[in-house]
Amino acid sequence: GAVVSQHPSWVICKSGTSVKIECRSLDFQATTMFWYRQFPKQSLMLMATSNEGSKATYEQGVEKDKFLINHASLTLSTLTVTSAHPEDSSFYICSASPDRDYGYTFGSGTRLTVV
Amino acid sequence: DAKTTQPPSMDCAEGRAANLPCNHSTISGNEYVYWYRQIHSQGPQYIIHGLKNNETNEMASLIITEDRKSSTLILPHATLRDTAVYYCIVRVGRGGSNYKLTFGKGTLLTVNP
């Protein structure tokens, strides 16, 4: 149990366009999901906490107008990278936890390349 | 959340036990120790967590010192597929809460044939 599905696995987009990444909890409900970003050879950096039915909480230094997060249901959170630029190219990962004594489950990640 | 210190890299022979240390000398009484690993270009995978007692599951064992200032993750029979970056994280609360995970640099474990 406790599966988190992330889509797409990889995406290439042109500079200036927007890209949406989906994160779904398949067999549990998640009132909270987390979005991370990882640059090559670096650790995961938390970007924001996605809360179902309310505004996301962004970490310091993360532009909320650039990284739009929507958590419209208990099983789906989306991250939209708006007006993407090459420096936004990165590995984006989401995570969530079922409401029991269980470690957080991570999605398989989305490799974004902006050209 | 308390910070952790891990060696940047370790090597292990296939079939042998891999012992990965983690120092968390500033851990608070209500903070749990979590271990995750990340295989290249994949999302992190939960391994095990504990508060103060030693824990074992099908993947690994977690040994926490009596003063809780350090812990060791043990992979009893390492395989080539265990090559990954292993993260030790301390965090308030148990799974299912809203408390976020903060990742350090972790330990790159390389299992050699």
Side-chain angles (χ1 to χ4, degrees), chain B residues 4-95:
Chain B
T4 62
T5 303
Q6 298 178 253
S9 64
M10 293 182 64
D11 286 316
C12 177
E14 187 178 20
R16 303 296 296 270
N19 297 280
L20 291 90
C22 180
N23 191 303
H24 32 79
S25 58
T26 60
I27 191 170
S28 301
N30 60 348
E31 288 182 313
Y32 286 71
V33 180
Y34 283 80
W35 283 85
Y36 286 79
R37 71 180 183 184
Q38 185 178 26
I39 296 170
H40 184 62
S41 293
Q42 296 183 24
Q45 177 189 23
Y46 165 81
I47 301 173
I48 199 168
H49 74 281
L51 181 61
K52 52 185 176 182
N53 297 321
N54 297 337
E55 302 287 345
T56 296
N57 62 20
E58 64 278 6
M59 289 183 67
S61 294
L62 173 60
I63 307 299
I64 303 174
T65 58
E66 192 168 342
D67 63 8
R68 301 185 70 238
K69 293 184 176 182
S70 65
S71 62
T72 301
L73 177 74
I74 302 172
L75 307 179
H77 306 287
T79 70
L80 298 180
R81 289 178 294 179
D82 291 323
T83 293
V85 177
Y86 287 76
Y87 297 99
C88 168
I89 302 168
V90 293
R91 198 209 71 177
V92 174
R94 308 169 78 180

Side-chain angles (χ1 to χ4, degrees), chain A residues 31-32 34 36 38 42-44 46 49 59 91 93 97-109 111, chain B residues 32 34 36 38 40-46 49 87 91 94-106:
Chain A
T31 56
T32 302
F34 301 94
Y36 293 82
Q38 185 175 34
Q42 295 187 22
S43 187
L44 285 77
L46 180 66
T49 302
E59 296 298 303
F91 192 50
I93 311 166
S97 178
D99 189 19
R100 61 179 186 267
D101 183 14
Y102 197 91
Y104 281 75
T105 299
F106 288 78
S108 56
R111 177 76 57 191
Chain B
Y32 286 71
Y34 283 80
Y36 286 79
Q38 185 178 26
H40 184 62
S41 293
Q42 296 183 24
Q45 177 189 23
Y46 165 81
H49 74 281
Y87 297 99
R91 198 209 71 177
R94 308 169 78 180
S97 71
N98 294 341
Y99 297 110
K100 57 192 178 186
L101 293 174
T102 301
F103 286 79
K105 296 183 179 180

